[in-house]
Amino acid sequence: GGLSNPFAGFFVFHATIAAVVLEPPWPRRAAAGIAVFVLALGAAEVTGLLPPQCLLDGSGVCAAPPMDWMLQAAAGAAIAVMVVVCGLIVASLVRVLHVDRERLATARSQILEEREKLQSIIDCMADAVVYVRPNGTVELRNRAAQRFWPEGTPPDGDLQARRSPERWRQLLGMLSRSEEMHP
């Protein structure tokens, strides 16, 4: 069916895939190359050098593609423009995603660095320091707080506060009495 084939627009997928997979400047070059191929295919069809094959109609009968050279040239140009535009749009979006990914990696690195600083500070404290999220996950604790966990529990990782609720109430009670005595 050549460029009059309803699937001719799928050339866009090649440019889109190139934009996602290839590093700059190759996506632009791939889109331009695909567009040149589409234009060359259109020119070959219009001049009769490469006549398009028939298309099957709804009943499975071969229907000759339109032989209007203006229509075929317009179809080829439209597909070529679509390929370039879609390729450039996807390449731009991929660039934005790469920049955002780099920013996110930098932010994560800074968070880890700040967490390590905070951990160093609380490890120097003689009193037990424990930060527990509402779901029971221990986010931070110092060496003095180790007594609240069974022997052999690693000092880092996703720990859960495994004491009975009564033991935690006792601990909180001691802390609040301590605050009352030392305002």
Side-chain angles (χ1 to χ4, degrees):
L3 293 178
S4 59
N5 184 328
F7 297 108
F10 285 178
F11 283 111
V12 169
F13 290 131
H14 299 295
T16 302
I17 291 168
V20 171
V21 174
L22 300 175
E23 293 292 323
W26 292 104
R28 285 191 305 268
R29 291 177 182 168
I34 295 166
V36 166
F37 173 78
V38 168
L39 291 173
L41 179 60
E45 288 180 7
V46 168
T47 61
L49 185 62
L50 183 66
Q53 301 297 315
C54 70
L55 296 172
L56 297 180
D57 64 11
S59 62
V61 176
C62 183
M67 294 310 289
D68 181 4
W69 71 271
M70 287 291 285
L71 182 62
Q72 285 184 300
I79 292 170
V81 168
M82 228 174 28
V83 164
V84 171
V85 169
C86 288
L88 293 176
I89 288 171
V90 172
S92 296
L93 291 173
V94 168
R95 259 194 320 275
V96 168
L97 287 174
H98 283 296
V99 168
D100 285 349
R101 185 183 303 152
E102 288 172 11
R103 254 190 266 146
L104 182 59
T106 301
R108 282 183 179 159
S109 175
Q110 290 170 342
I111 288 170
L112 288 174
E113 188 177 315
E114 291 301 316
R115 182 186 171 101
E116 288 174 8
K117 286 179 191 176
L118 179 60
Q119 186 67 51
S120 295
I121 291 168
I122 69 167
D123 277 343
C124 294
M125 296 177 180
D127 293 330
V129 177
V130 179
Y131 172 70
V132 181
R133 291 192 176 272
N135 68 0
T137 302
V138 176
E139 190 68 26
L140 288 170
R141 66 180 174 156
N142 65 357
R143 289 184 197 107
Q146 185 63 33
R147 67 178 178 259
F148 294 112
W149 282 266
E151 286 296 317
T153 303
D156 57 354
D158 187 22
L159 301 172
Q160 294 288 318
R162 292 192 176 89
R163 293 293 184 182
S164 68
E166 181 56 35
R167 180 76 170 120
W168 284 109
R169 276 193 287 280
Q170 288 173 353
L171 175 64
L172 292 173
M174 287 182 348
L175 292 172
S176 62
R177 281 192 300 278
S178 159
E179 285 178 2
E180 291 169 3
M181 293 187 330
H182 301 87

